[in-house]
Amino acid sequence: MSDIPQPLNPDALRLDPAAGLASYPPVEKWDDWVEYDTAQWPRKVEKHCRIIPTICFNCEAACGLLGFVEKDTNRIRRFEGNPEHPGSRGRNCAKGPATLNQVTDPERIRYPLKRMGKRGEGKWERVSWDEVLDDIAGRVRKALQEDRRSEIMYHVGRPGHELLYHQRIFHAWGIDGHNSHTNVCSAGARAGYAFWSGIDRPSPDHANARFILLLSSHLESGHYFNPHAQRIIEAKNAGTKLCVIDTRLSNTASKADYWLSTWPGSEAAILLAMCNILLQEDRFDRQFLRNWVNWEEYLREEHPDQPQTFRSFIAILKETYAQFTPEFAANESGVDAKILVEVAHEIAKAGSAFSSHVWRNTAAGNLGGWQVARALQFLVVLAGAVGTPGGTAPNAANKFIPAPPLMPPPAKVWNEMLIPREFPLAFFEMSFLLPHFIKEGRGKLAMYFTRVYNPVWTNPDGMSWIEMLSDERKVERHACLTPTWSETAWFADYVLPMGHASERHDLMSQETQAARWIGFRQPILRVALEKQGKKFNTTYEAHEAAGIGQVWEEDEFWIELSWRIDPDGSLGIRKYFESPYESGKKMTVDEYYRWIFENSVPGLPAAAAKQGLTPLEYMRKYGAFLIEDNVYRVHETGIETADLADSTTDPTTKVISKNGTVLGVEVDGKACAGFPTPSRKLEFFSRTLKDWKWPDYAIPGYIKSHVHSDNIDVNAGEMLLLPTFRLPTLIHTRSGNAKWLYEISHSNPLWLNPKDAQWLDVKTGDLLKIQTEIGYFIDKVWVTEGIKPGVVACSHHLGRWRLAEDQGGERWSTALVDLKQLGEGKWMMRTIHGIKPFKSDDPDSERIFWQDGGVHQNLTFPVQPDYISGQHCWHQKVRVAKPGPDDKYGDVFVDTNKSHEVYKRWMAKTRPAPGPGNMRRPYWLPRSYKPAAEAYYLK
């Protein structure tokens, strides 16, 4: 028998051996790709397609997609991966091809809708885009003219844009109005990383690592998981070892060489124990620490009586972290001490080729979770693996944000409903507390935009959001910009259909590997029609011509809205939305991206010229561009001699400044760019934390979680609920209209260890009642050894619901529920029926075989803001018991009065601004949309 692999299809043997098989259609055939029409099988009928690249929108990874558009029907035939994309390299997970479901969804919103009747009543009428724009523009204009700038708020879930697009809009309006979902997602990890390097995300070079440590289910569903997963598997195939720290046996953990199932919140203890091992055994990178850690500042500030030498610093480190023994970490976490030592030795052996990552996971679940990221980065620093091949860099090294045309100056206002005084160090806006801020009388909203964000469902304490959104005195006008129905859209005044991945323009660049690239998302149906010679003023006109309704795109929406807010230019807004090529003319999307590609993307104009293309034509053709590959040690970048002229170097800190601006830092006699921290070095010691009233946490440490095992009374039926994990096939709230994905995943049972199942006397499929501090929910049990005893886990991706039979939610994914207010603040939700077949233009809707849509657990969680990072601490201390005779699967009860009391209790533990200089927040610390410097000072 031959050892040469044979193709599975015997017809492949008849192919020309010289030509061989191809994984993807070659670029030169994208304008006229010919394949057989599968619907005509067994006849061989040719189908001619135009292949147009775009970017996936079904997670943050921004993988490349190719849309196959039939030339005869202008219908999208399918989506595949784009082999020209440097990050995803033509490979996609299940969510990429499922974009087709979202485009063809028979229940999608196709035209602008306006509320009729009361909010939440479910009465809507179709209106024109002109009516929507005129109403919203008038309200925004009035608020600006009356200097009510903090009453305009844009609340975004998944932006799908580089930050600068919307930043220039709100800077032009003169508002501090950007609110995000970050504090229910990644604020804990961001804070931990930023206190080290001034940059709030890591960029691991997994492909070249010799040891990989993940505090997540990163192969299957973590941050940038598809591009990272490819490279992790490549590294594993080359002999790299993988360790996963995760309470739950995820698919990723099942692929690991080491799975450490920790008690949630104990991870920092484990990481610091590993740091201690490297320190005590002298298996750390001394030269890197000497050059790039702010050890001199630490000694000056904290140990002035000790010798101010590097040797003294190391001795103090060893003494400080000696308490974190493997035995201590084992006692806290429940992980074998011997395994911890073994993993630490593997990290030491890998040295500078040690990559790591934490994003949500423990950093998002626990009080003090930001110290987990700080401890993990300490381990990376000790290994000397910062910005090295196979190491972990700050993400700014591998992310590219091009400058746009006509960038306005930052606003001179500070919105305290975004970052209030209680959270001067938060990452970033305290979005999930908004209903409580408004309930307390801190303000109201004249114009509230939600954009691909579903706070009623996604955030904790969703009933408080319903109470706020239902009250027109608190939120005067709410426009929901969304590609799909959602629980939040039901309580809006306008539901405005915005495009999916293949239906709009924007730019993406993510830290998927040790490189810099940029991807171009574009509306492929508009592009296809324009290639036929048709012209459109707006994308929604193109989409209507293509048969999908007046689905618009944000780029054009915001340009048009800004133009109408300032019709005569008197507010100073209009000028920022004029064409960069024709003065006085309104900017088009083509002009916006043409300017960026011509002026802000290094190497792109030259690459385009080689092919006889303009930069815009190049990006429309390929969909992505690799700016720089093999990007390492960016902090060592030298400062140009010309820039050093007339500069000064501080004799103590070695920080280099010129005309009041910091340029970098001198290291071993070389002027280097360094890191964007006050010291320009990696800050083991954070003077910021000390100065802003948290001196005990100025160095990496261990904060016992609010759900530490000491706080769980097992005898009283208490357990720890872990609600943070994702399912690899779903997309928060955006996959409800993807039938292929929901066919795979449609329930979120309670993971329960067999020991706990025996104690509770339940088996798989039985019901349990999970009681939180503010309510309860009823869910089914899944008994598995894949979860630690004492912990119950439930995925946050499911439990979607709607309040009307035939609208308000995708019937592929939502249960019909009855929502009643039993008294002031007391809400009861009960399922009327689950998912079931329905008639539509898609015959598959009558073939639905699943009924379970999961349970909406987030409604029952009180807000629990970490006092420093602002991260909502997702993990819950719960009481677990069998349900009563009147309880039913899917029941949810919530008391928002109790929720507000919990909010006040957590708020009481904050340490509000002002900080040094009467400031609201350290100016150097990152913020999404940074106001002008003068806004940082309290008056």
Side-chain angles (χ1 to χ4, degrees):
M1 184 176 178
S2 172
D3 292 333
I4 300 174
Q6 298 296 307
L8 295 176
N9 190 327
D11 285 345
L13 295 171
R14 295 192 289 273
L15 292 172
D16 178 5
L21 294 172
S23 298
Y24 305 96
V27 175
E28 57 269 21
K29 294 186 177 182
W30 285 7
D31 280 338
D32 187 27
W33 174 249
V34 183
E35 60 188 24
Y36 290 135
D37 187 349
T38 54
Q40 301 296 324
W41 186 88
R43 294 188 304 133
K44 294 184 177 180
V45 178
E46 288 187 348
K47 176 67 73 172
H48 289 253
C49 296
R50 179 172 277 116
I51 299 176
I52 301 170
T54 190
I55 300 292
C56 185
F57 186 55
N58 285 340
C59 84
E60 198 174 0
C63 298
L65 288 178
L66 297 179
F68 289 65
V69 182
E70 296 176 352
K71 287 189 171 183
D72 56 343
T73 66
N74 291 318
R75 182 176 67 90
I76 300 173
R77 188 169 177 81
R78 68 178 179 279
F79 288 96
E80 292 183 356
N82 181 2
E84 299 296 318
H85 190 290
S88 56
R89 305 179 293 184
R91 309 170 196 175
N92 294 107
C93 72
K95 292 180 281 194
T99 300
L100 183 64
N101 296 161
Q102 298 170 320
V103 172
T104 60
D105 171 33
E107 296 198 300
R108 72 176 302 179
I109 304 164
R110 299 178 184 272
Y111 295 92
L113 299 176
K114 183 179 180 180
R115 170 178 62 88
M116 302 295 293
K118 296 180 180 179
R119 284 187 186 157
E121 197 172 359
K123 296 180 179 179
W124 306 93
E125 69 171 352
R126 177 179 162 183
V127 292
S128 69
W129 277 110
D130 280 333
E131 181 178 340
V132 172
L133 290 162
D134 286 342
D135 180 28
I136 294 175
R139 291 172 182 273
V140 173
R141 185 189 314 116
K142 189 172 188 292
L144 295 178
Q145 290 171 334
E146 296 175 357
D147 200 25
R148 294 182 287 112
R149 296 176 184 270
S150 292
E151 293 185 13
I152 306 167
M153 186 177 292
Y154 167 76
H155 206 159
V156 62
R158 178 64 58 224
H161 271 288
E162 289 308 339
L163 289 176
L164 292 185
Y165 189 88
H166 281 100
Q167 188 168 326
R168 65 183 298 278
I169 293 165
F170 301 131
H171 282 355
W173 292 8
I175 67 171
D176 180 21
H178 172 270
N179 209 346
S180 70
H181 77 293
T182 304
N183 280 66
V184 297
C185 178
S186 55
R190 287 176 185 269
Y193 284 115
F195 289 135
W196 266 106
S197 66
I199 300 168
D200 64 356
R201 291 188 179 193
S203 179
D205 184 25
H206 291 313
N208 298 300
R210 291 194 294 269
F211 192 82
I212 299 172
L213 176 60
L214 302 177
L215 280 78
S216 65
S217 53
H218 220 64
L219 280 174
E220 60 191 279
S221 58
H223 205 52
Y224 310 148
F225 82 95
N226 170 42
H228 277 183
Q230 297 176 28
R231 292 164 174 86
I232 292 170
I233 292 300
E234 288 170 4
K236 276 186 64 65
N237 289 341
T240 297
K241 290 187 176 181
L242 170 65
C243 176
V244 173
I245 300 179
D246 195 335
T247 305
R248 184 181 64 95
L249 180 61
S250 63
N251 293 343
T252 303
S254 72
K255 296 288 186 183
D257 299 280
Y258 300 93
W259 171 42
L260 310 186
S261 178
T262 52
W263 183 267
S266 66
E267 292 82 1
I270 284 179
L271 296 168
L272 293 176
M274 293 178 182
C275 291
N276 182 39
I277 291 167
L278 267 60
L279 286 167
Q280 302 303 336
E281 296 181 3
D282 289 317
R283 300 181 69 174
F284 57 92
D285 190 329
R286 287 177 174 269
Q287 192 61 37
F288 182 79
L289 263 67
R290 184 192 300 272
N291 286 346
W292 286 106
V293 171
N294 68 333
W295 60 269
E296 295 105 327
E297 182 181 13
Y298 173 60
L299 292 180
R300 285 195 306 271
E301 292 290 328
E302 301 297 290
H303 299 279
D305 55 336
Q306 296 295 316
Q308 303 293 290
T309 64
F310 184 69
R311 177 180 291 182
S312 175
F313 170 65
I314 295 301
I316 292 171
L317 275 188
K318 290 183 177 182
E319 181 181 353
T320 300
Y321 289 98
Q323 60 182 303
F324 293 102
T325 63
E327 291 72 25
F328 170 80
N331 185 63
E332 289 292 290
S333 67
V335 175
D336 189 337
K338 292 179 181 178
I339 299 297
L340 302 184
V341 173
E342 189 174 333
V343 171
H345 288 165
E346 291 288 349
I347 292 169
K349 191 189 306 180
S352 62
F354 164 52
S355 69
S356 65
H357 200 284
V358 62
W359 198 237
R360 283 173 57 91
N361 192 273
T362 180
N366 298 284
L367 177 67
W370 60 275
Q371 278 283 36
V372 178
R374 197 127 156 78
L376 178 60
Q377 185 65 7
F378 188 20
L379 194 55
V380 172
V381 169
L382 288 173
V386 178
T388 53
T392 306
N395 84 317
N398 305 136
K399 186 180 178 78
F400 184 78
I401 301 178
L406 308 171
M407 188 66 184
K412 298 178 181 180
V413 296
W414 187 282
N415 190 337
E416 289 206 357
M417 286 202 295
L418 299 179
I419 298 185
R421 299 183 190 192
E422 291 93 337
F423 295 96
L425 305 179
F427 280 74
F428 297 106
E429 304 87 7
M430 298 303 300
S431 61
F432 65 100
L433 300 184
L434 182 63
H436 296 281
F437 291 161
I438 290 181
K439 188 172 186 175
E440 288 182 327
R442 298 194 186 198
K444 66 178 179 66
L445 299 177
M447 189 66 231
Y448 181 52
F449 301 93
T450 50
R451 188 273 191 242
V452 193
Y453 191 44
N454 187 8
V456 168
W457 186 88
T458 302
N459 284 5
D461 191 20
M463 293 304 183
S464 289
W465 282 86
I466 289 177
E467 291 177 351
M468 180 189 79
L469 293 174
S470 299
D471 191 337
E472 295 184 48
R473 296 168 300 176
K474 296 175 179 177
V475 180
E476 293 175 358
R477 186 64 98 214
H478 174 197
C480 186
L481 285 67
T482 175
T484 62
W485 275 110
S486 71
E487 290 81 353
T488 299
W490 192 253
F491 295 93
D493 300 300
Y494 288 115
V495 181
L496 307 179
M498 293 294 167
H500 287 291
S502 61
E503 298 169 344
R504 64 178 209 268
H505 291 92
D506 52 60
L507 296 177
M508 292 300 298
S509 178
Q510 302 292 22
E511 57 275 17
T512 54
Q513 76 256 42
R516 293 186 180 121
W517 56 264
I518 191 165
F520 187 36
R521 187 178 280 124
Q522 56 183 336
I524 65 174
L525 289 175
R526 178 175 183 173
V527 172
L529 290 171
E530 290 185 338
K531 282 181 176 287
Q532 297 173 11
K534 300 175 182 178
K535 296 296 179 184
F536 304 96
N537 292 321
T538 66
T539 295
Y540 79 73
E541 292 171 330
H543 285 155
E544 191 163 37
I548 63 172
Q550 292 182 353
V551 176
W552 211 359
E553 61 168 305
E554 284 87 343
D555 281 13
E556 289 180 345
F557 172 83
W558 293 110
I559 291 172
E560 184 62 35
L561 180 60
S562 299
W563 199 257
R564 297 192 189 201
I565 289 170
D566 190 14
D568 58 2
S570 61
L571 296 179
I573 295 172
R574 190 183 181 100
K575 62 186 177 182
Y576 295 110
F577 299 91
E578 292 183 357
S579 165
Y581 301 100
E582 295 184 54
S583 179
K585 179 184 175 184
K586 182 166 52 181
M587 179 191 295
T588 67
V589 171
D590 270 11
E591 289 174 330
Y592 179 81
Y593 290 107
R594 172 190 164 190
W595 191 96
I596 288 177
F597 295 149
E598 289 176 350
N599 297 280
S600 298
V601 184
L604 176 56
K610 284 183 180 179
Q611 299 194 23
L613 302 171
T614 67
L616 178 59
E617 289 170 340
Y618 181 99
M619 292 303 289
R620 288 215 183 276
K621 179 177 181 178
Y622 293 99
F625 179 69
L626 179 63
I627 297 167
E628 184 179 4
D629 205 359
N630 298 315
V631 179
Y632 298 109
R633 296 185 172 91
V634 173
H635 55 281
E636 295 181 2
T637 303
I639 302 173
E640 297 292 335
T641 303
D643 293 332
L644 289 172
D646 301 321
S647 67
T648 59
T649 302
D650 186 288
T652 300
T653 66
K654 302 299 181 182
V655 170
I656 304 167
S657 302
K658 182 177 179 179
N659 299 326
T661 300
V662 175
L663 301 179
V665 64
E666 183 182 303
V667 176
D668 272 355
K670 178 185 175 182
C672 300
F675 300 90
T677 59
S679 67
R680 286 285 163 158
K681 292 189 174 183
L682 291 167
E683 299 204 338
F684 164 78
F685 167 71
S686 173
R687 176 70 179 266
T688 297
L689 282 164
K690 181 179 180 180
D691 287 349
W692 287 77
K693 308 175 186 177
W694 298 98
D696 292 347
Y697 302 144
I699 65 173
Y702 173 45
I703 298 173
K704 287 190 174 183
S705 172
H706 64 299
V707 287
H708 187 274
S709 56
D710 289 350
N711 300 329
I712 305 294
D713 186 350
V714 176
N715 294 325
E718 292 181 352
M719 297 182 72
L720 187 158
L721 173 62
L722 188 156
T724 52
F725 68 94
R726 306 179 182 185
L727 296 179
T729 49
L730 300 182
I731 319 138
H732 298 298
T733 70
R734 296 197 307 285
S735 54
N737 57 352
K739 60 185 180 183
W740 293 341
L741 301 182
Y742 257 81
E743 182 178 20
I744 300 169
S745 306
H746 43 260
S747 64
N748 58 343
L750 297 164
W751 292 40
L752 192 69
N753 187 274
K755 293 180 180 178
D756 295 318
Q758 183 178 14
W759 173 66
L760 289 164
D761 190 26
V762 293
K763 61 184 183 303
T764 294
D766 288 348
L767 298 182
L768 279 177
K769 188 172 192 174
I770 308 298
Q771 187 154 357
T772 69
E773 209 168 351
I774 66 169
Y776 65 81
F777 65 94
I778 311 294
D779 200 358
K780 298 173 184 175
V781 169
W782 182 49
V783 180
T784 172
E785 293 183 347
I787 195 71
K788 202 173 189 67
V791 179
V792 60
C794 186
S795 171
H796 73 281
H797 265 152
L798 289 134
R800 303 298 305 279
W801 48 269
R802 67 185 189 278
L803 294 172
E805 183 65 67
D806 57 356
Q807 65 172 343
E810 298 292 337
R811 284 181 282 180
W812 306 98
S813 57
T814 59
L816 181 66
V817 303
D818 177 41
L819 179 61
K820 290 182 177 177
Q821 193 165 8
L822 305 180
E824 185 179 354
K826 292 179 171 58
W827 295 84
M828 181 72 193
M829 178 183 290
R830 171 156 285 180
T831 299
I832 298 173
H833 66 71
I835 301 167
K836 63 181 185 180
F838 62 95
K839 289 185 178 181
S840 76
D841 294 336
D842 184 342
D844 282 347
S845 68
E846 296 188 73
R847 301 175 181 134
I848 292 175
F849 61 85
W850 60 95
Q851 297 179 350
D852 193 355
V855 180
H856 188 187
Q857 59 176 333
N858 292 13
L859 287 172
T860 68
F861 300 162
V863 295
Q864 300 177 156
D866 182 270
Y867 321 136
I868 295 176
S869 71
Q871 170 75 53
H872 170 61
C873 305
W874 278 101
H875 293 342
Q876 305 285 321
K877 181 171 74 170
V878 297
R879 290 181 181 270
V880 181
K882 289 187 175 182
D886 296 328
D887 293 324
K888 294 184 177 180
Y889 173 68
D891 280 359
V892 174
F893 173 79
V894 174
D895 186 337
T896 58
N897 301 306
K898 290 183 178 179
S899 172
H900 195 61
E901 291 303 313
V902 175
Y903 154 80
K904 290 191 288 186
R905 192 171 73 239
W906 281 70
M907 292 289 284
K909 297 179 182 179
T910 61
R911 299 177 187 177
N918 205 40
M919 292 188 73
R920 298 175 181 273
R921 177 181 179 88
Y923 189 71
W924 75 271
L925 209 60
R927 194 182 160 193
S928 299
Y929 292 10
K930 210 165 188 175
E934 63 192 75
Y936 275 71
Y937 293 89
L938 284 165
K939 297 177 182 179

